[in-house]
Amino acid sequence: MASSKTAAKTSKPTQKKTPPTQLAVAFSGGLDSTVLLHATIKAHGKKNVHAFHVHHGIQKEADQWQAHCKAVAKKFGCHFDTKNVKLNKQSNIESQARNLRYEALTQMCEAHKIQDLLLAHHLDDQAETVLIQLMRGAGLPGLSAMPQVKSNELIHLWRPFLNMCRKDLESYAEEHKLTWIEDPSNQDESYRRNAVRKSILPTLEKFQKGAIENLARSAKHLGEAQGLLNQLADIDLGLIETKEGLSKTNLIRLYKTSQARATNALRRWLSKNGLAYPSEERLTAWWSELTQARLDAKLQWDHDQRVIRLWRGHLSITQDLNAQAKSKGKEKEKVTNEGEWTFKKVPANSKKPGIAKDRFEKAKQKGLINTMAREGGEKFKVDSKRPRKSLKNLYQEAAIPPWQRDVPLLYIGEELVAVAGIGISADWQTTDGPRFTLEWQAA
């Protein structure tokens, strides 16, 4: 029988206390985000809250706003971080500012290891969004407006005020004697959203009491309908999608049965791969090309800084290397897939071929290992019992898509030693003794 002392020992809890969740608030310094920051600190404690500010540099007061936000965060006792972004004032400033803001907020969340970001959008914002999307002729995804919770691979976006109107936030701010900044650009009705907020919605509310709340409620219903369409699309994708991509044959078969279902499945596939929905005009052009293309046809579409390709009967999505090079100011350089060659020890009991360790280390000491871009005409021998072949033939035999062939070749001195997806040169291979295998790791 266990003694009381032993019993006391075994009854002690062994589970460690879970640390409180760290939350981030997107903090512009305006009324909405000031109320959200104050309320979040009140609910979760100042040590668990981070205020993140994005400096757009659009207004001349931007530096003052940044300083104000830092001062408010200090007064509230929470953590603070800020990031400057640069806009191209020649393009759509509203859209560009929004995209750069979310990118900067995500980067700050990553830097501070935070997974939950709170945004101060409220019911009035939701109504504005629905009306703007209606004027644009948007479909269900756009008319669903802003979801209360949205997650991606890095963070969860929360909108806790989405069921509250701006007047509720004003009352809270007044009760707690909060101070905030006013952005003068919010008065400029040349911006579409400001015109909707200041002129159109008040007029609608005048003729239909509760119009703002009703628009936001419609967004919720439309969001539920979009959720059902996503479920249907996932069922259809289960019959269309393979490891190579979307089967053209099965996609066209669905299109002939129901164009609406096929379009829904295609949009869902693009969305799941992080791409924006294409316009109706673009979709129509894609379907026209797909339905007329032979099974062995090759198609290529540039969309949302990615490339959608039809190759060997499948649609796949890859990075747009030319767009990436242009963004880095390297558009005049030869574009190759980004990544690096890695060298790994082959287990002693493995029969996998590799480069002998001593031979590899001698080459490394002499600085003979280097990479070069493919120029064309290179020949390679991967099997000692077979003749040398051109890389083009080897790539075709290995069914490596053309866009995956622009990988730097690995040389030791003047000899071509390794080709990504093909293997190690027969002249350098061994299956005996300590050795290294070479692998290309895409970025």
Side-chain angles (χ1 to χ4, degrees):
M1 183 175 178
S3 66
S4 58
K5 188 179 281 187
T6 305
K9 274 185 178 180
T10 56
S11 64
K12 282 184 180 179
T14 57
Q15 206 170 20
K16 290 184 180 180
K17 188 177 179 182
T18 305
T21 301
Q22 294 291 301
L23 301 172
V25 173
F27 185 41
S28 68
L31 167 70
D32 308 339
S33 62
T34 301
V35 170
L36 178 58
L37 181 62
H38 185 273
T40 304
I41 290 171
K42 194 175 178 183
H44 296 275
K46 59 188 178 183
K47 291 183 180 180
N48 303 319
V49 179
H50 298 245
F52 290 161
H53 177 78
V54 179
H55 182 302
H56 295 98
I58 302 173
Q59 303 291 335
K60 60 182 180 181
E61 301 91 349
D63 289 341
Q64 297 172 31
W65 296 341
Q66 191 176 47
H68 166 85
C69 289
K70 185 175 182 180
V72 170
K74 184 177 181 181
K75 179 182 176 182
F76 288 176
C78 67
H79 307 282
F80 178 77
D81 197 2
T82 183
K83 200 170 186 67
N84 291 19
V85 297
K86 190 173 182 180
L87 279 74
N88 173 11
K89 295 183 180 179
Q90 303 300 316
S91 60
N92 187 321
I93 291 179
E94 284 183 274
S95 174
Q96 196 182 163
R98 181 177 61 252
N99 293 338
L100 288 173
R101 178 165 62 252
Y102 281 117
E103 187 178 316
L105 289 168
T106 300
Q107 289 172 355
M108 285 189 277
C109 284
E110 284 187 275
H112 293 272
K113 298 180 179 178
I114 293 174
Q115 294 183 320
D116 298 285
L117 174 65
L118 277 58
L119 306 172
H121 297 115
H122 47 72
L123 186 142
D124 299 59
D125 294 324
Q126 186 75 307
E128 292 167 15
T129 303
V130 174
L131 201 53
I132 289 169
Q133 295 291 359
L134 271 171
M135 292 189 295
R136 290 180 60 245
L140 270 183
L143 295 174
S144 303
M146 299 177 287
Q148 198 143 25
V149 183
K150 184 179 181 180
S151 302
N152 58 36
E153 293 178 357
L154 301 172
I155 58 173
H156 307 291
L157 296 176
W158 301 85
R159 295 183 174 92
F161 289 169
L162 215 50
N163 295 320
M164 300 175 69
C165 64
R166 181 178 170 84
K167 288 181 180 178
D168 296 328
L169 306 189
E170 289 172 346
S171 298
Y172 182 99
E174 186 179 340
E175 179 186 345
H176 292 87
K177 297 180 171 57
L178 302 179
T179 58
W180 61 90
I181 57 177
E182 293 286 356
D183 184 347
S185 69
N186 288 336
Q187 308 305 316
D188 184 357
E189 292 192 37
S190 66
Y191 291 115
R192 180 175 52 193
R193 185 171 287 274
N194 291 345
V196 169
R197 180 186 303 128
K198 297 184 68 62
S199 298
I200 300 176
L201 281 178
T203 302
L204 286 176
E205 193 71 27
K206 180 181 176 182
F207 287 100
Q208 173 67 55
K209 188 172 176 58
I212 293 175
E213 189 175 346
N214 290 342
L215 282 168
R217 187 187 303 116
S218 291
K220 182 181 177 183
H221 295 325
L222 292 166
E224 291 172 353
Q226 181 59 48
L228 292 173
L229 282 177
N230 288 343
Q231 291 178 31
L232 175 61
D234 289 338
I235 292 170
D236 288 334
L237 286 174
L239 302 173
I240 297 170
E241 197 168 11
T242 69
K243 64 179 182 179
E244 288 84 14
L246 290 190
S247 163
K248 174 183 175 291
T249 300
N250 291 343
L251 183 61
I252 295 302
R253 187 176 290 133
L254 179 62
Y255 182 80
K256 289 178 178 178
T257 303
S258 168
Q259 293 184 15
R261 271 182 77 166
T263 297
N264 183 50
L266 182 57
R267 281 180 170 148
R268 176 66 169 164
W269 178 66
L270 293 172
S271 177
K272 289 172 77 172
N273 281 280
L275 275 71
Y277 288 117
S279 66
E280 187 173 349
E281 182 182 6
R282 179 168 286 191
L283 263 176
T284 300
W286 289 357
W287 282 124
S288 177
E289 290 186 56
L290 272 176
T291 52
Q292 295 177 47
R294 299 190 312 274
L295 185 62
D296 61 347
K298 297 176 184 178
L299 295 176
Q300 178 175 317
W301 305 318
D302 295 333
H303 176 64
D304 199 18
Q305 295 191 319
R306 304 282 282 279
V307 178
I308 304 168
R309 290 183 169 93
L310 174 67
W311 191 71
R312 295 199 174 182
H314 288 83
L315 285 174
S316 62
I317 299 170
T318 60
Q319 295 293 335
D320 187 342
L321 298 177
N322 289 312
Q324 289 180 356
K326 191 172 183 180
S327 68
K328 296 175 183 178
K330 299 179 179 179
E331 59 265 39
K332 292 183 180 179
E333 296 181 15
K334 180 177 173 61
V335 177
T336 59
N337 288 285
E338 293 187 353
E340 62 179 354
W341 281 98
T342 59
F343 306 90
K344 297 179 181 179
K345 289 183 179 178
V346 178
N349 60 350
S350 174
K351 293 296 182 183
K352 189 175 183 179
I355 296 178
K357 181 182 176 183
D358 57 347
R359 200 176 180 189
F360 169 80
E361 290 181 342
K362 282 180 184 178
K364 187 178 179 182
Q365 288 171 2
K366 293 179 180 179
L368 296 176
I369 302 174
N370 63 88
T371 59
M372 291 178 63
R374 183 181 168 208
E375 294 181 352
E378 294 93 349
K379 290 196 172 183
F380 192 64
K381 187 176 183 178
V382 73
D383 187 335
S384 59
K385 297 178 181 178
R386 298 178 66 187
R388 289 183 187 278
K389 290 187 177 182
S390 69
L391 289 189
K392 181 180 180 180
N393 288 340
L394 290 171
Y395 282 135
Q396 289 172 340
E397 289 176 6
I400 295 175
W403 58 90
Q404 292 180 9
R405 298 174 187 177
D406 287 323
V407 171
L409 306 174
L410 186 80
Y411 283 81
I412 293 182
E414 298 294 321
E415 291 187 66
L416 177 55
V417 170
V419 179
I422 303 299
I424 299 171
S425 166
D427 297 333
W428 283 77
Q429 282 182 30
T430 181
T431 53
D432 299 322
R435 59 197 183 279
F436 290 98
T437 185
L438 283 64
E439 294 179 10
W440 172 258
Q441 297 288 336

